[in-house]
Amino acid sequence: MALPLEQNDLDPQAHLYAIAERTLPGAGLGGYSLPKDLRFAVSAAEGAHLICTQGRRYIDFVGGAGANILGANHPEVVAAIQAQAAKAIHVFGTLNEAAILLSEKLVAAIPCAEKICFTSTGSEATAYALRIARAFTGKDKVLKFEGAYHGNHDYASFSQFPTAAANYPQATADSGGVPRALQDTMLVAPYNDLEAVEQIVAAEAEDLAAIVVEPVQRVIFPQQGFLAGLRRLADAYGVLLIFDEVVTGFRLAYGGGQEYFGVTPDLASFGKIVGGGGPLGCVAGRAEMLERTNPRNKGRPDYAYINGTLHGNPLAAAAGAATLDVIAQPGFYEHLNQKAETFYAAMQAVLDRHGLPARVTGRASLWQFLFAAEDPKNQLDILAADQASARKLDLALLKRGIYVLPTVRRFFSGVLSEEDLETTLAALDQACQELRA
Ligand SMILES: Cc1ncc(COP(=O)(O)O)c(C=O)c1O
């Protein structure tokens, strides 16, 4: 039994972690558990800051895993949630006003979207995109890229955290509990390697439903022509092209990676920003494909079942719509991306001044430190980089109140102030000194 806070002599954070050690595996959420001396529990968030239960402020570069492009608790998003909460927090089965209004904004914004269907998370959105692709093509296999993350479902749990090069196209499960029977349905190729992709697609075209790709794989940007090459191969071999835009959607540009790179997929999955910090995702795509989920077609063999208690949740839909209204304003992305890239250059100057063989890799509002001579072009380049030094640098920043997750790609949000950036540069300077020592 936990003691009430006033009856024990632990500080509030130690008290909460004492509970979490008993109730949550590894006292963590999902796949993350920070080292004991650096972990913190958030009691409030304000713009670019997180405030922990001991009152310490962190400058936030995790940004809710990318959902918080406007920082935390943006006033217009809060107002929309409050107004919606007063009307309807949750409805199931019949449509709700907030979801309909958001669907119109999504279809207008996303180049491939003639229709969308809602989900609760990005993982669900990618799982459903694969299901729709299989239902539409009548084929089972899907080609993904080594090191690509498509969420937590069984089909996504192949070759997302490899420790060595795959025996292409054979994918390897990264988690216990993934049925062996699925292994043959997932194929894997190296990112940015069109030749390898073509060999696999040509050999497997008869059974291959789709190629699924992150337009920016974690922090690896596509080389010139890579995404357009995938489009060409997909068309040539009768395979669908799916963009997993859970991160890139509404982040690289209002129209996501599709707009930023000028390549339109058949289907795309979204999460994070579209829910404005609430539980919401969607699959977007060509009408003839999305029609496979039309509930009027239930019972037909090509009907793709999609359903969830929280799909189109009005609270998340209102938060998403309010977020989209702010980021749709002219100049939003130019300002965000330019400010971010100026900051990357300033961080690079600090690394260089200390003579560290590290780079700030990334573009637009996605970035990470990599101890490598070049920007990565695939997952093997990431594996070849010095991960141990990157982890040390990240932990040294965390110690100084800069919230980054060690060796995980991070985000830049529009609400970081000049003072936040100066503080971060000063912390980086000290972290570099610590690393060299
Ligand atoms: C590219 C990509 N796809 C899918 C997902 C899964 O989204 P969610 O965590 O909302 O289930 C993520 C999550 O980070 C992601 O980065």
Side-chain angles (χ1 to χ4, degrees):
M1 277 289 285
L3 284 175
L5 196 48
E6 59 279 11
Q7 285 176 33
N8 69 45
D9 54 9
L10 294 175
D11 69 51
Q13 191 145 286
H15 174 80
L16 290 171
Y17 269 103
I19 298 173
E21 286 289 357
R22 272 189 298 111
T23 56
L24 302 169
L29 278 179
Y32 296 98
S33 172
L34 290 171
K36 284 193 176 163
D37 57 333
L38 295 177
R39 65 192 183 177
F40 63 99
V42 172
S43 61
E46 264 176 35
H49 293 176
L50 302 180
I51 300 138
C52 83
T53 47
Q54 280 175 318
R56 184 174 186 201
R57 250 169 210 272
Y58 289 77
I59 298 176
D60 181 18
F61 287 95
V62 176
N68 300 345
I69 192 166
L70 296 175
N73 304 353
H74 187 283
E76 290 185 34
V77 179
V78 172
I81 292 174
Q82 285 171 338
Q84 184 60 47
K87 292 198 284 186
I89 291 177
H90 180 55
V91 178
F92 178 76
T94 194
L95 281 172
N96 70 77
E97 191 182 12
I100 298 174
L101 294 176
L102 178 59
S103 75
E104 188 183 29
K105 290 183 197 294
L106 294 170
V107 168
I110 302 167
C112 77
E114 289 171 353
K115 292 200 178 215
I116 62 120
C117 48
F118 282 116
T119 66
S120 314
T121 65
S123 296
E124 264 190 279
T126 61
Y128 282 126
L130 301 190
R131 177 177 287 177
I132 293 167
R134 290 193 214 96
F136 185 78
T137 59
K139 301 191 271 185
D140 277 351
K141 293 188 181 178
V142 171
L143 176 66
K144 78 177 288 274
F145 291 92
E146 189 171 36
Y149 185 75
H150 298 299
N152 49 28
H153 53 91
D154 286 344
Y155 291 95
S157 300
F158 285 95
S159 299
Q160 50 184 351
F161 310 121
T163 50
N167 179 18
Y168 311 117
Q170 201 181 346
T172 345
D174 314 277
S175 168
V178 175
R180 263 187 290 277
L182 294 190
Q183 176 130 23
D184 291 339
T185 68
M186 293 304 294
L187 308 173
V188 65
Y191 191 74
N192 270 328
D193 186 342
L194 274 181
E195 221 173 283
V197 175
E198 177 149 25
Q199 271 181 20
I200 298 167
V201 173
E204 301 281 349
E206 217 169 282
D207 301 317
L208 193 63
I211 302 170
V212 60
V213 64
E214 291 181 78
V216 176
Q217 186 175 298
R218 315 284 77 206
V219 81
I220 311 171
F221 274 71
Q223 290 180 333
Q224 186 71 27
F226 178 63
L227 296 175
L230 294 182
R231 177 71 276 175
R232 189 173 33 76
L233 290 177
D235 291 342
Y237 288 94
V239 168
L240 302 189
L241 181 62
I242 303 173
F243 277 6
D244 179 343
E245 294 243 41
V246 172
V247 165
T248 52
F250 296 93
R251 173 156 294 277
L252 291 178
Y254 193 67
Q258 314 176 25
E259 178 186 316
Y260 190 83
F261 297 113
V263 177
T264 307
D266 300 297
L267 293 167
S269 54
F270 291 79
K272 302 192 193 275
I273 294 172
V274 298
L280 198 108
C282 75
V283 186
R286 285 169 41 198
E288 55 178 336
M289 292 168 195
L290 269 288
E291 274 300 319
R292 298 301 156 129
T293 72
N294 180 337
R296 296 185 190 118
N297 294 335
K298 258 185 206 162
R300 279 176 35 174
D302 61 356
Y303 165 66
Y305 178 69
I306 174 164
N307 191 40
T309 303
L310 292 174
H311 287 189
N313 170 263
L315 213 49
T323 302
L324 264 47
D325 285 346
V326 177
I327 64 183
Q329 284 163 18
F332 176 84
Y333 288 94
E334 288 78 1
H335 178 71
L336 175 70
N337 295 349
Q338 197 180 41
K339 190 168 158 190
E341 289 177 11
T342 306
F343 179 60
Y344 305 157
M347 286 198 292
Q348 185 67 56
V350 176
L351 298 173
D352 293 346
R353 202 163 60 239
H354 286 276
L356 290 181
R359 55 198 303 109
V360 182
T361 190
R363 235 183 285 163
S365 55
L366 305 165
W367 68 280
Q368 191 173 330
F369 297 123
L370 205 65
F371 280 68
E374 307 279 343
D375 284 333
K377 62 182 184 314
N378 58 36
Q379 183 63 21
L380 297 184
D381 289 345
I382 301 274
L383 289 176
D386 177 358
Q387 299 284 345
S389 294
R391 184 178 165 80
K392 275 189 203 150
L393 186 64
D394 288 341
L395 291 177
L397 279 174
L398 188 55
K399 193 158 89 181
R400 291 169 174 82
I402 309 302
Y403 182 37
V404 291
L405 286 169
T407 71
V408 175
R409 183 263 334 275
R410 55 217 50 171
F411 300 93
F412 188 96
S413 83
V415 292
L416 286 156
S417 67
E418 284 308 317
E419 192 186 343
D420 292 330
L421 300 181
E422 286 304 320
T423 306
T424 305
L425 290 174
L428 180 61
D429 190 55
Q430 291 173 10
C432 290
Q433 280 177 36
E434 182 180 317
L435 198 70
R436 282 175 55 207

